[in-house]
């Protein structure tokens, strides 16, 4: 088991930032020299990011690219950056948004290779040792994390200590900090939520953490600034081929592409096409040759987000040996706690859905580590998502059934270069290997990779204290300024300049999208400059609101759609479609569906007759006419009678959380389902439940009820 802790210092000013920003203060002397060697390359960077339309024009107008990358995840974006910094004319197309797939649904850890170490030692597996050796070499680490393998048997302490020391040894000069042993007392002091029973001690080791979607975006935007033509929502319809006169056989020479937004099709010609499509690797391989066997064996990993109080601000936990052999962890991230993960075979789909059984498995495992004083409730799950890990078999190997834990680079007879497998931590070295193979196979004129130490989008002008300037120069809240600095780096100043005046004494600028998160309205405007085309792009990847709290994301959606609509001149019909699509995304892919299914199952009402009677009395204080349902008018009437005033929009949001059939009213049966779910811990801090209870108490005691500010809800 393992617990992680963020260490105070230059690399940990705020959680969730980009690797490049924090890495600047972590570079070794070797890395600093590498950066200096890149000054000539840096001078080629553009200060102006081309619009998406300009990028599409470049894709159409360019006679022939050296490299066309298909796939805008971490691997594809890494390949584009590696290629363009070798002075290759580079294009990249992605059929959805950048980082819309696996790359935005990771564990948020940089490396996290302790499980590889365990398998390497126990199974004498050299390939697992290889995985440990592939340390990230670009930029350092954004957030130092500590892990405690919790020892509940005396012999585990020296066993894990020896293993973790090997982990440090393999890291060599790149070891973030040396691991060490903690006594039981010290472990409980640092992580007071832990169970005391049977605990012997703990071992601390360090890993890195990042905001995966924004990291992916930073890589893609950096490639664009170096001159790569990149376009999201641009899918490959089919591959282009021509007969090579020297070889006498067909060779891939580009792709027929379609702009998903407009439906327009066009050809993109290239000397080399790279398949970096993750779980969809086989689909593009079969476009090349229908006879190609499948090499991708997808595995689903579900994660949940629970309130930040489940773990200390700077510490997390990991156990590589759970009840069924899967890895479990919970880690602080963006002031919340991520818990996961599962590892189950799945079908390939662009829209994976977290299943209730996986959510409950994670919650059950988390309960095993926490003190009985900490009640782990189903209702505390604020968001849940599933990511598809593209495990692959090596087509170059005679044993095509064995899973390749590392990445593979394969070149087909027609010249299609496929990069598959691997993990987030190794994206840079994967890209380097891919371009080395592509340059050799296609006789491209290019030098060696230049991405070691290369500064990414926002790295320039970032300092650990830049958030103070944002507060002083623009009048932003401290929390908002810290968020902007960690998410955008030096580009945070551009976001701040777009921020609107609040009309308040403080903050002067920076209107929040929702009160409990530091995301502000100007980020929506800036997201469009970062190629956001839909409301989903904003709530899922430009900000991480959809991944952190689906109810908060749903509340922010109308304002997000309004801002995007003005910037992109959307019609009212398009705005309705965007709102609907984003709600569907939250409902299915971010865990809202699992919550609704629990509440709509009437067989799950487990209230006693006395409880039903008590709740009926409470309900009828609002339903004076005995209609069998209540509306916003009913609630507003009761609140005004006790001198509490809530605006109509907020009341609508409060009732909408419980209105399961979305008919604009809450029936008595829906109210009973809500109270039953609250009783079982499936729903926590529901605003309507709290409001009705406090209003009833106020009416009975002629006292003013407490505030009903939203406290998080659950999914």
């Amino acid at each position: 088991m393992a617990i992680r802790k963020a260490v105070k210092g230059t690399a940990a000013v705020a959680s969730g930032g980009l690797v490049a920003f924090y890495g600047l203060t972590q570079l070794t002397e070797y890395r600093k020299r590498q950066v200096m060697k890149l000054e000539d390359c840096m001078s080629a960077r553009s200060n102006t990011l081309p619009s998406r339309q300009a990028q599409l024009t470049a894709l159409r107008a360019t006679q022939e690219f050296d490299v066309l990358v298909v796939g805008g995840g971490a691997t594809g974006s890494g390949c584009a950056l590696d290629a363009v910094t070798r002075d290759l004319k580079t294009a990249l197309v992605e059929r959805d948004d950048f980082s819309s797939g696996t790359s935005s649904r990771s564990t948020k850890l940089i490396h996290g290779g302790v499980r590889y170490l365990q398998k390497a030692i126990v199974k004498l597996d050299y390939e697992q040792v290889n995985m440990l050796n592939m340390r990230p070499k670009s930029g350092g680490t954004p957030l130092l994390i500590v892990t405690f393998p919790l020892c509940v048997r005396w012999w585990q302490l020296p066993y894990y200590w020896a293993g973790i020391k090997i982990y440090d040894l393999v890291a060599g000069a790149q070891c973030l900090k040396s691991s060490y042993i903690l006594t039981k007392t010290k472990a409980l002091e640092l992580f007071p939520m832990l169970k005391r029973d049977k605990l012997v001690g703990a071992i601390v080791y360090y890993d890195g953490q990042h905001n995966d979607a924004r990291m992916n975006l930073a890589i893609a935007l950096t490639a664009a600034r170096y001159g790569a033509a990149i376009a999201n929502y641009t899918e490959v319809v089919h591959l282009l081929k021509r007969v090579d006169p020297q070889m006498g056989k067909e060779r891939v020479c580009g792709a027929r592409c379609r702009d998903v937004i407009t439906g327009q099709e066009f050809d993109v010609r290239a000397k080399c096409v790279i398949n970096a499509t993750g779980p969809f690797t086989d689909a593009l391989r079969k476009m090349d040759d229908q006879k190609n066997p499948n090499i991708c064996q997808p595995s689903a990993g579900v994660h949940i987000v629970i309130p930040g109080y489940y773990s200390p601000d700077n510490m997390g936990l990991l156990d590589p040996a759970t009840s069924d052999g899967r890895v479990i962890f919970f880690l602080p991230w963006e002031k919340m706690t991520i818990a996961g993960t599962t590892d189950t075979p799945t079908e390939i789909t662009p829209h994976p859905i977290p299943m209730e059984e996986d959510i409950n498995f994670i919650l059950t495992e988390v309960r095993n580590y926490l003190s009985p004083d900490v009640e782990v409730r189903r209702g505390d799950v604020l968001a849940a998502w599933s990511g598809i890990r593209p495990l692959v078999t090596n087509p170059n190997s005679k044993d095509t059934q064995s899973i390749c834990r590392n990445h593979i680079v394969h070149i087909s007879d027609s010249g299609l270069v496929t990069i598959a497998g691997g993990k987030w931590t190794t994206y840079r070295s994967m890209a380097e290997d891919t371009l080395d193979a592509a340059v050799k196979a296609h006789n491209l004129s290019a030098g060696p990779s230049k991405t070691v130490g290369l500064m990414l989008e926002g790295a320039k002008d970032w300092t650990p204290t830049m958030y103070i300037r944002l507060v002083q120069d623009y009048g932003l809240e401290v929390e908002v300024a810290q968020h902007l600095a960690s998410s955008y780096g030096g580009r945070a100043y551009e976001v701040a300049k777009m921020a609107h005046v609040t009309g308040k004494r403080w903050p002067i600028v920076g209107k929040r999208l929702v009160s409990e998160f530091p995301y502000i309205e100007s980020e929506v405007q800036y997201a469009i400059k970062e190629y956001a085309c839909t409301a989903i792009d904003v709530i899922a990847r430009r900000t991480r609101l959809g991944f952190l709290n689906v109810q908060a994301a749903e509340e922010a959606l109308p304002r997000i759609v309004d801002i995007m609509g003005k910037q992109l001149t959307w019609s009212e019909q398009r705005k309705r479609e965007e709102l609907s699509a984003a709600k569907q995304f939250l409902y299915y892919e971010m865990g809202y569906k699992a919550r609704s299914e629990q509440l709509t199952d009437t067989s799950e009402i487990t209230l006693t007759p006395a409880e039903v009677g008590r709740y009926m009395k409470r309900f009828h204080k609002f339903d004076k006419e005995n209609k069998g349902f209540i509306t916003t008018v009913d609630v507003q009437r009761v609140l005004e009678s006790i001198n509490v005033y809530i605006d109509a929009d907020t009341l609508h949001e409060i009732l909408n959380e419980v209105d399961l059939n979305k008919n604009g009213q809450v029936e008595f049966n829906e109210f009973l389902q809500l109270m039953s779910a609250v009783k079982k811990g499936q729903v926590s801090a529901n605003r309507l439940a709290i409001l009705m209870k406090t209003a009833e108490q106020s009416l009975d005691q002629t006292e003013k009820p407490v505030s009903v500010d939203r406290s998080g809800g659950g999914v």
Side-chain angles (χ1 to χ4, degrees), residues 228-265:
I230 68 171
N232 54 352
Y233 294 100
T234 305
E235 67 178 345
V236 170
V237 179
H238 60 80
L239 295 174
L240 303 177
K241 292 187 176 183
R242 60 176 174 78
V243 176
D244 188 322
Q246 294 182 343
M247 304 179 69
K249 60 181 181 181
E250 285 191 327
R251 302 281 289 175
V252 173
C253 63
R256 179 73 173 176
C257 297
R258 177 190 295 125
D259 181 347
V260 174
I261 295 175
T262 65
Q264 295 178 349
E265 294 189 6

Side-chain angles (χ1 to χ4, degrees), residues 377-444:
R377 303 175 296 183
R378 174 61 181 82
D380 285 336
V381 179
L382 305 175
W385 70 86
S386 177
I388 299 178
R389 186 185 178 203
L391 302 174
V392 293
T393 56
N394 191 344
N396 300 316
S397 172
K398 294 180 180 178
D399 180 11
T400 58
Q401 296 304 308
S402 61
I403 293 290
C404 177
R405 298 179 184 89
N406 211 327
H407 64 271
I408 61 104
V409 178
H410 178 258
I411 301 175
S412 71
D413 292 340
S414 62
L416 177 67
V417 179
T418 295
I419 170 65
K423 56 179 182 171
W424 236 119
T425 305
T426 60
Y427 88 88
R428 195 211 62 81
S429 59
M430 289 168 64
E432 181 178 352
D433 291 349
T434 304
L435 265 297
D436 284 347
V439 167
K440 182 178 179 181
H442 291 272
N443 296 316
L444 301 177

Side-chain angles (χ1 to χ4, degrees), residues 658-676:
V658 184
D659 179 15
L660 301 175
N661 55 14
K662 304 303 177 188
N663 62 355
Q665 57 197 33
V666 175
E667 285 93 7
F668 180 58
N669 192 58
E670 289 176 320
F671 180 63
L672 289 182
Q673 290 176 60
L674 167 65
M675 300 315 299
S676 179

Side-chain angles (χ1 to χ4, degrees), residues 635-653:
V635 177
Q636 196 163 41
R637 185 190 66 245
V638 173
L639 294 180
E640 288 177 356
S641 72
I642 56 175
N643 298 319
V644 173
Y645 300 92
I646 299 178
D647 66 84
D649 288 341
T650 302
L651 277 179
H652 176 75
E653 292 171 359

Side-chain angles (χ1 to χ4, degrees), residues 34-245:
Q34 290 295 110
V35 172
M36 291 172 65
K37 290 177 183 178
L38 289 168
E39 287 182 349
D40 58 332
C41 189
M42 289 290 291
S43 64
R45 287 184 73 167
S46 170
N47 289 324
T48 304
L49 200 63
S51 67
R52 180 175 180 274
Q53 189 56 50
Q55 297 283 31
L56 289 170
T57 300
L59 288 173
R60 291 190 185 96
T62 302
Q63 185 174 356
E64 185 181 51
F65 289 94
D66 293 315
V67 174
L68 167 62
V69 181
V70 182
T75 304
S77 299
C79 287
L81 180 57
D82 192 287
V84 75
T85 52
R86 297 190 195 206
D87 295 324
L88 292 171
K89 193 178 294 183
T90 304
L92 179 148
V93 293
E94 161 60 47
R95 73 175 182 181
D96 205 296
D97 187 24
F98 304 114
S99 197
S100 59
T102 305
S103 296
S104 64
R105 304 174 189 228
S106 73
T107 304
K108 322 304 181 196
L109 289 179
I110 298 294
H111 199 253
V114 167
R115 56 180 174 167
Y116 302 116
L117 173 66
Q118 185 184 38
K119 291 178 182 177
I121 295 173
V122 174
K123 299 183 179 180
L124 300 176
D125 190 336
Y126 178 73
E127 191 176 12
Q128 300 286 359
V129 176
N130 244 359
M131 294 293 281
L132 282 167
N133 276 320
M134 302 193 76
R135 317 296 283 191
K137 295 179 181 178
S138 53
T141 179
L143 179 64
L144 295 182
I145 300 293
V146 179
T147 305
F148 292 81
L150 251 68
C151 303
V152 296
R153 296 180 179 87
W154 68 267
W155 58 266
Q156 288 179 322
L157 200 62
Y159 172 78
Y160 280 125
W161 179 83
I164 294 299
K165 280 301 175 185
I166 295 174
Y167 189 72
D168 291 348
L169 186 63
V170 171
Q174 295 179 346
C175 182
L176 303 178
K177 269 194 172 185
S178 295
S179 58
Y180 55 92
I181 292 177
L182 286 179
T183 63
K184 174 180 178 177
T185 301
K186 191 63 177 178
L188 290 171
E189 179 185 327
L190 293 173
F191 204 120
M193 301 84 166
L194 288 174
K195 274 185 180 177
R196 295 173 176 270
D197 300 347
K198 301 179 181 178
L199 180 64
V200 174
I203 300 170
V204 183
Y205 81 90
Y206 293 76
D207 268 339
Q209 190 182 60
H210 69 157
N211 183 334
D212 51 5
R214 289 213 59 87
M215 176 65 175
N216 191 158
L217 186 63
I219 299 166
L221 295 180
T222 305
R225 290 193 187 276
Y226 275 106
I230 68 171
N232 54 352
Y233 294 100
T234 305
E235 67 178 345
V236 170
V237 179
H238 60 80
L239 295 174
L240 303 177
K241 292 187 176 183
R242 60 176 174 78
V243 176
D244 188 322

Side-chain angles (χ1 to χ4, degrees), residues 512-515 519 521 524 534-541 543 545-547 549-566 570 574-588 590 592 653 656 710:
R512 294 196 182 208
L513 290 168
V514 285
S515 60
Y519 302 115
E521 292 182 355
V524 182
T534 70
I536 296 174
D537 297 343
V538 174
I539 61 173
R541 293 170 287 273
T543 73
L545 195 53
F547 279 75
N549 189 316
V550 292
Q551 289 187 14
E554 185 178 38
E555 286 185 22
L557 273 175
R559 185 61 187 139
I560 290 171
V561 169
D562 274 346
I563 295 170
M564 295 189 77
K566 289 177 183 177
W570 285 346
R574 173 66 188 275
K575 288 165 72 172
R576 286 192 294 270
E577 290 172 354
E578 284 292 325
L579 199 59
S580 175
K583 287 182 177 180
Q584 286 288 95
F585 168 78
L586 294 173
Y587 182 75
Y588 287 105
M590 292 292 110
Y592 235 155
E653 292 171 359
N656 192 53
R710 178 158 63 80

Side-chain angles (χ1 to χ4, degrees), residues 465-497:
T465 57
M466 70 167 286
Y467 76 93
I468 298 175
R469 278 193 57 198
L470 290 170
V471 174
Q472 294 176 336
D473 294 354
Y474 296 93
L476 290 163
E477 294 175 79
V478 172
E479 183 186 13
V480 170
Q482 289 174 332
H483 153 67
L484 294 181
S486 67
S487 297
Y488 300 91
R491 301 288 175 187
Y493 296 114
E494 296 179 37
V495 182
K497 288 175 184 176

Side-chain angles (χ1 to χ4, degrees), residues 589-600:
E589 296 185 52
M590 292 292 110
Y592 235 155
K593 180 175 183 289
R595 171 184 181 270
S596 298
E597 285 178 343
Q598 287 195 355
L599 288 177
T600 53

